[in-house]
Amino acid sequence: VQLQASGGGLVQAGGSLRLSCVASANPFSRYSLGWFRQAPGKEREFVAAITWNIGGPYYADSVKGRFTISRDNAKNTVYLQMESLKPEDTAVYYCAAQRRAAFKPLSYSTDYDYWGQGTQVTVSS
């Protein structure tokens, strides 16, 4: 399975961005999907997830109310709509996928088998 993330860029604080991630997964509808991010000098952290069998979405507290994860199974694409961006949201954002049935929100990087290459999001103050 290959994932290709895009949509990152430079935005001012308070602005918006939409990240996209196209996956070669088949059937895409039977994959759980997640977004993670990694800032310089920090560990990769969970942002949002949506599963194929127990639903979702699930969000990190730091982005709840500002970010929205969604999926379009017809386009094999998962999105991350980011609103009210803050400088602390600056990071490389990664999409991830896994095929196994989920029994809990997939909020750990070890929950996922497949990863995209990352897209840089920079929020200026």
Side-chain angles (χ1 to χ4, degrees), residues 32 51-56 58 102-106:
S32 296
T51 74
W52 69 266
N53 62 314
I54 63 170
Y58 306 97
F103 298 97
K104 60 177 178 67
L106 303 176

PDB file of all heavy atoms in Angstrom, residues 32 51-56 58 102-106:
ATOM      1  N   SER A  32      -8.461   1.559   8.001  1.00  0.00           N
ATOM      2  CA  SER A  32      -8.510   2.661   8.963  1.00  0.00           C
ATOM      3  C   SER A  32      -7.395   3.643   8.617  1.00  0.00           C
ATOM      4  O   SER A  32      -6.314   3.235   8.159  1.00  0.00           O
ATOM      5  CB  SER A  32      -8.325   2.134  10.378  1.00  0.00           C
ATOM      6  OG  SER A  32      -9.395   1.287  10.738  1.00  0.00           O
ATOM      7  N   THR A  51     -11.704   5.037  11.610  1.00  0.00           N
ATOM      8  CA  THR A  51     -11.561   3.613  11.347  1.00  0.00           C
ATOM      9  C   THR A  51     -12.599   3.139  10.342  1.00  0.00           C
ATOM     10  O   THR A  51     -13.569   3.847  10.052  1.00  0.00           O
ATOM     11  CB  THR A  51     -11.700   2.790  12.636  1.00  0.00           C
ATOM     12  OG1 THR A  51     -13.081   2.752  13.020  1.00  0.00           O
ATOM     13  CG2 THR A  51     -10.884   3.397  13.764  1.00  0.00           C
ATOM     14  N   TRP A  52     -12.409   1.938   9.830  1.00  0.00           N
ATOM     15  CA  TRP A  52     -13.391   1.423   8.880  1.00  0.00           C
ATOM     16  C   TRP A  52     -14.479   0.621   9.578  1.00  0.00           C
ATOM     17  O   TRP A  52     -15.555   0.410   9.006  1.00  0.00           O
ATOM     18  CB  TRP A  52     -12.716   0.559   7.815  1.00  0.00           C
ATOM     19  CG  TRP A  52     -12.164  -0.754   8.290  1.00  0.00           C
ATOM     20  CD1 TRP A  52     -10.882  -0.996   8.695  1.00  0.00           C
ATOM     21  CD2 TRP A  52     -12.847  -2.000   8.382  1.00  0.00           C
ATOM     22  NE1 TRP A  52     -10.734  -2.314   9.049  1.00  0.00           N
ATOM     23  CE2 TRP A  52     -11.929  -2.957   8.862  1.00  0.00           C
ATOM     24  CE3 TRP A  52     -14.156  -2.424   8.102  1.00  0.00           C
ATOM     25  CZ2 TRP A  52     -12.258  -4.279   9.061  1.00  0.00           C
ATOM     26  CZ3 TRP A  52     -14.494  -3.759   8.307  1.00  0.00           C
ATOM     27  CH2 TRP A  52     -13.554  -4.665   8.785  1.00  0.00           C
ATOM     28  N   ASN A  53     -14.239   0.181  10.830  1.00  0.00           N
ATOM     29  CA  ASN A  53     -15.212  -0.711  11.437  1.00  0.00           C
ATOM     30  C   ASN A  53     -15.840  -0.188  12.728  1.00  0.00           C
ATOM     31  O   ASN A  53     -16.965  -0.558  13.040  1.00  0.00           O
ATOM     32  CB  ASN A  53     -14.593  -2.077  11.700  1.00  0.00           C
ATOM     33  CG  ASN A  53     -13.437  -2.014  12.680  1.00  0.00           C
ATOM     34  OD1 ASN A  53     -12.568  -1.158  12.584  1.00  0.00           O
ATOM     35  ND2 ASN A  53     -13.409  -2.923  13.631  1.00  0.00           N
ATOM     36  N   ILE A  54     -15.156   0.647  13.474  1.00  0.00           N
ATOM     37  CA  ILE A  54     -15.759   1.174  14.704  1.00  0.00           C
ATOM     38  C   ILE A  54     -16.010   2.668  14.612  1.00  0.00           C
ATOM     39  O   ILE A  54     -16.366   3.311  15.596  1.00  0.00           O
ATOM     40  CB  ILE A  54     -14.929   0.847  15.967  1.00  0.00           C
ATOM     41  CG1 ILE A  54     -13.542   1.509  15.900  1.00  0.00           C
ATOM     42  CG2 ILE A  54     -14.829  -0.647  16.158  1.00  0.00           C
ATOM     43  CD1 ILE A  54     -12.774   1.420  17.201  1.00  0.00           C
ATOM     44  N   GLY A  55     -15.808   3.218  13.410  1.00  0.00           N
ATOM     45  CA  GLY A  55     -16.173   4.611  13.171  1.00  0.00           C
ATOM     46  C   GLY A  55     -15.105   5.602  13.574  1.00  0.00           C
ATOM     47  O   GLY A  55     -13.946   5.449  13.287  1.00  0.00           O
ATOM     48  N   GLY A  56     -15.526   6.597  14.221  1.00  0.00           N
ATOM     49  CA  GLY A  56     -14.706   7.757  14.537  1.00  0.00           C
ATOM     50  C   GLY A  56     -15.494   8.973  14.126  1.00  0.00           C
ATOM     51  O   GLY A  56     -16.692   8.898  13.917  1.00  0.00           O
ATOM     52  N   TYR A  58     -11.673  10.405  15.663  1.00  0.00           N
ATOM     53  CA  TYR A  58     -11.020  10.609  16.941  1.00  0.00           C
ATOM     54  C   TYR A  58      -9.944  11.673  16.754  1.00  0.00           C
ATOM     55  O   TYR A  58      -9.280  11.701  15.732  1.00  0.00           O
ATOM     56  CB  TYR A  58     -10.381   9.312  17.437  1.00  0.00           C
ATOM     57  CG  TYR A  58     -11.343   8.160  17.482  1.00  0.00           C
ATOM     58  CD1 TYR A  58     -11.410   7.236  16.451  1.00  0.00           C
ATOM     59  CD2 TYR A  58     -12.216   8.009  18.550  1.00  0.00           C
ATOM     60  CE1 TYR A  58     -12.309   6.191  16.479  1.00  0.00           C
ATOM     61  CE2 TYR A  58     -13.125   6.956  18.589  1.00  0.00           C
ATOM     62  CZ  TYR A  58     -13.161   6.054  17.549  1.00  0.00           C
ATOM     63  OH  TYR A  58     -14.062   5.021  17.587  1.00  0.00           O
ATOM     64  N   ALA A 102     -10.151  -2.572  13.848  1.00  0.00           N
ATOM     65  CA  ALA A 102      -9.810  -1.766  15.020  1.00  0.00           C
ATOM     66  C   ALA A 102     -10.779  -2.077  16.148  1.00  0.00           C
ATOM     67  O   ALA A 102     -11.968  -2.300  15.919  1.00  0.00           O
ATOM     68  CB  ALA A 102      -9.864  -0.287  14.666  1.00  0.00           C
ATOM     69  N   PHE A 103     -10.244  -2.089  17.372  1.00  0.00           N
ATOM     70  CA  PHE A 103     -11.083  -2.290  18.549  1.00  0.00           C
ATOM     71  C   PHE A 103     -10.965  -1.124  19.517  1.00  0.00           C
ATOM     72  O   PHE A 103     -11.497  -1.176  20.621  1.00  0.00           O
ATOM     73  CB  PHE A 103     -10.709  -3.610  19.238  1.00  0.00           C
ATOM     74  CG  PHE A 103     -10.937  -4.798  18.359  1.00  0.00           C
ATOM     75  CD1 PHE A 103      -9.889  -5.340  17.631  1.00  0.00           C
ATOM     76  CD2 PHE A 103     -12.197  -5.344  18.219  1.00  0.00           C
ATOM     77  CE1 PHE A 103     -10.093  -6.418  16.796  1.00  0.00           C
ATOM     78  CE2 PHE A 103     -12.413  -6.433  17.386  1.00  0.00           C
ATOM     79  CZ  PHE A 103     -11.359  -6.967  16.678  1.00  0.00           C
ATOM     80  N   LYS A 104     -10.249  -0.101  19.078  1.00  0.00           N
ATOM     81  CA  LYS A 104     -10.043   1.100  19.881  1.00  0.00           C
ATOM     82  C   LYS A 104      -9.630   2.207  18.933  1.00  0.00           C
ATOM     83  O   LYS A 104      -9.235   1.938  17.801  1.00  0.00           O
ATOM     84  CB  LYS A 104      -8.946   0.868  20.911  1.00  0.00           C
ATOM     85  CG  LYS A 104      -7.591   0.503  20.286  1.00  0.00           C
ATOM     86  CD  LYS A 104      -6.522   0.357  21.313  1.00  0.00           C
ATOM     87  CE  LYS A 104      -5.195  -0.064  20.675  1.00  0.00           C
ATOM     88  NZ  LYS A 104      -4.643   0.986  19.806  1.00  0.00           N
ATOM     89  N   PRO A 105      -9.728   3.448  19.357  1.00  0.00           N
ATOM     90  CA  PRO A 105      -9.199   4.525  18.520  1.00  0.00           C
ATOM     91  C   PRO A 105      -7.724   4.304  18.231  1.00  0.00           C
ATOM     92  O   PRO A 105      -6.952   4.008  19.153  1.00  0.00           O
ATOM     93  CB  PRO A 105      -9.425   5.767  19.381  1.00  0.00           C
ATOM     94  CG  PRO A 105     -10.544   5.408  20.286  1.00  0.00           C
ATOM     95  CD  PRO A 105     -10.380   3.945  20.567  1.00  0.00           C
ATOM     96  N   LEU A 106      -7.345   4.444  16.999  1.00  0.00           N
ATOM     97  CA  LEU A 106      -5.969   4.132  16.590  1.00  0.00           C
ATOM     98  C   LEU A 106      -5.107   5.375  16.740  1.00  0.00           C
ATOM     99  O   LEU A 106      -4.882   6.110  15.786  1.00  0.00           O
ATOM    100  CB  LEU A 106      -5.975   3.613  15.161  1.00  0.00           C
ATOM    101  CG  LEU A 106      -6.863   2.394  14.936  1.00  0.00           C
ATOM    102  CD1 LEU A 106      -6.872   2.004  13.472  1.00  0.00           C
ATOM    103  CD2 LEU A 106      -6.430   1.232  15.814  1.00  0.00           C
TER     104      LEU A 106
END
